[in-house]
Amino acid sequence: MKSATTKNIKQNIFYTFGIFLAATALAFLFFYFVRDNSANIALIYILALILIARHTDGYLYGIFSALFSVIFINCFFTYPFFAVNFTLSGYPITFLCMLAITSLTSATTTRLKIQDRMLAERERRINESEKERIRANLLRAVSHDLRTPLTSIIGASASYMENTPELTEEEKLRLVSNINEDSHWLLNMVENLLAVTRIQGDEQKVKKEPEVVEEVVAESIHRLEKRIPDISIRVTAPKEMLLVPMDPLLIEQVLINLMENAFVHSESADPIELHITEETDTVTFHILDHGNGIDIASIPDMLSGQYQNGHPPDTRRGMGIGLSICNTIIQAHDGFFAARNHDDGAEFYFTLSKGE
């Protein structure tokens, strides 16, 4: 803390000295070329005083600068030159005017700096409170979501080991299939959690670089097809190449979550549809299924991670926690995420800006 204060004092001194030297050099240059109108030199020093008061802390630097400005004007730019003579008419008024300008500017600047610090602290507390809320909701949902498949895996594996001689091949296959299915779900949950950790903790933002949308979509579909070979996805996109600033791994995870949710929860054999539409400043990703639709009333809970009964609506497959993570990622991209029903099922969509 002490070293920071010392550094700040040094910066204020160097800034004051630099501005004062620059003003003096400019004043000599002006005096050399326009000797008959030397009164305007005071305006140069007044501008320097305003800059010093604006960019330094407290009143001390501005007051000393005002004092030395009057002395320099008297000594170098007023006859008799190179001699200090405060008996000349008007100099007490000049000094008082400069001192008043400096004091008012310093007071205004100090007040603005205090207000800026208060606003920054208030915003930091709000962001911290929001992060704590998201973290608490996420941990609550994740703890419930992880417990269910883990319990199933432990139960299925214990049954297999303890009852192997009595089990038929069909029963063994069913137990192993359940273990495999729950293991994949745990892997997906871990990937979601890893995706969230990529978001910068202090600002809840991500590092965005221009990425080709088609490549990000293709990679997400490839990863999902490795996990769910039976899934069918139909993609439509503009013919021209789209470049959108994003974190590609996070957006891939969002697409995977939404397409997997559509496949698992729609209970439909029809292909999942992924439509990419382009507007003037944005690109929107639409994921549609042809199933039973969604409960509109539960959408705010699913997107926020706040559940009235303490856990996601779909405890078996964790649809709620997946959507909450998707919403967090899109918000970190300064985008918009929402859901709605269409004539033949449900639609989840998110919008990303084309600009930084």
Side-chain angles (χ1 to χ4, degrees):
M1 188 70 176
K2 185 177 179 180
S3 60
T5 303
T6 303
K7 181 180 179 181
N8 192 41
I9 292 174
K10 289 181 179 179
Q11 288 177 345
N12 288 332
I13 293 174
F14 285 135
Y15 183 86
T16 301
F17 188 69
I19 292 294
F20 198 77
L21 280 183
T24 302
L26 186 61
F28 271 111
L29 188 65
F30 185 86
F31 185 71
Y32 179 80
F33 287 103
V34 193
R35 183 178 291 269
D36 295 335
N37 195 16
S38 59
N40 288 331
I41 291 175
L43 298 178
I44 297 176
Y45 279 100
I46 288 174
L47 178 60
L49 292 178
I50 293 174
L51 291 175
I52 290 170
R54 173 67 181 85
H55 295 284
T56 56
D57 298 324
Y59 298 86
L60 186 63
Y61 306 99
I63 291 173
F64 273 104
S65 298
L67 175 63
F68 280 105
S69 294
V70 173
I71 294 174
F72 269 53
I73 293 172
N74 185 284
C75 182
F76 297 115
F77 307 109
T78 305
Y79 186 82
F81 301 114
F82 299 101
V84 177
N85 183 6
F86 281 109
T87 62
L88 296 175
S89 175
Y91 265 89
I93 296 177
T94 302
F95 174 73
L96 291 176
C97 288
M98 286 189 168
L99 186 61
I101 291 171
T102 303
S103 299
L104 288 174
T105 305
S106 297
T108 303
T109 301
T110 301
R111 186 163 56 250
L112 289 175
K113 287 179 180 179
I114 293 174
Q115 290 177 352
D116 287 342
R117 283 197 293 267
M118 292 174 62
L119 289 174
E121 179 64 19
R122 181 172 178 270
E123 185 176 354
R124 186 191 67 80
R125 290 181 179 179
I126 292 174
N127 289 336
E128 191 64 29
S129 176
E130 180 66 13
K131 285 192 295 183
E132 289 298 327
R133 183 189 66 80
I134 292 175
R135 186 180 296 113
N137 290 331
L138 182 63
L139 288 175
R140 183 167 58 250
V142 167
S143 64
H144 187 281
D145 253 22
L146 291 179
R147 190 183 301 114
T148 301
L150 279 173
T151 302
S152 178
I153 290 173
I154 294 171
S157 59
S159 296
Y160 190 94
M161 290 186 298
E162 295 171 2
N163 304 304
T164 299
E166 293 83 11
L167 294 174
T168 64
E169 290 300 321
E170 182 179 353
E171 291 172 334
K172 291 178 181 179
L173 180 60
R174 185 171 65 252
L175 287 173
V176 172
S177 297
N178 290 339
I179 293 173
N180 182 67
E181 185 179 352
D182 287 319
S183 298
H184 277 89
W185 164 240
L186 285 175
L187 176 61
N188 182 43
M189 177 58 66
V190 171
E191 289 177 350
N192 275 324
L193 295 176
L194 291 176
V196 172
T197 61
R198 290 175 59 83
I199 299 176
Q200 298 174 4
D202 293 336
E203 300 176 359
Q204 290 189 322
K205 298 296 181 183
V206 292
K207 293 182 179 179
K208 297 185 286 187
E209 297 291 340
E211 299 288 342
V212 179
V213 169
E214 290 81 355
E215 293 181 359
V216 174
V217 170
E219 180 61 25
S220 63
I221 292 175
H222 175 68
R223 289 172 56 191
L224 184 57
E225 287 177 339
K226 289 174 63 176
R227 182 184 301 165
I228 310 175
D230 295 335
I231 195 170
S232 177
I233 302 169
R234 188 162 55 211
V235 180
T236 59
K239 293 182 180 179
E240 63 273 12
M241 184 178 68
L242 297 177
L243 280 176
V244 176
M246 66 174 78
D247 183 315
L249 292 179
L250 290 178
I251 298 303
E252 285 174 18
Q253 193 61 40
V254 170
L255 290 170
I256 289 172
N257 283 353
L258 296 178
M259 290 186 291
E260 183 176 8
N261 278 346
F263 176 79
V264 172
H265 297 278
S266 65
E267 300 179 0
S268 171
D270 293 331
I272 305 302
E273 296 185 21
L274 171 55
H275 301 310
I276 303 169
T277 58
E278 179 185 16
E279 292 76 33
T280 303
D281 300 316
T282 59
V283 172
T284 303
F285 299 76
H286 308 260
I287 294 86
L288 300 91
D289 62 49
H290 300 276
N292 302 320
I294 53 177
D295 179 12
I296 299 297
S298 67
I299 291 176
D301 288 341
M302 289 190 292
L303 297 187
S304 67
Q306 293 182 347
Y307 309 108
Q308 295 178 358
N309 58 0
H311 52 76
D314 189 332
T315 58
R316 179 62 184 85
R317 286 293 165 218
M319 180 179 181
I321 184 60
L323 294 180
S324 175
I325 290 173
C326 290
N327 190 36
T328 300
I329 292 173
I330 298 304
Q331 285 183 347
H333 280 79
D334 298 317
F336 176 75
F337 185 82
R340 61 193 174 195
N341 286 321
H342 61 92
D343 293 339
D344 194 26
E347 175 187 359
F348 290 88
Y349 60 98
F350 62 91
T351 299
L352 298 177
S353 173
K354 292 181 181 178
E356 288 290 350

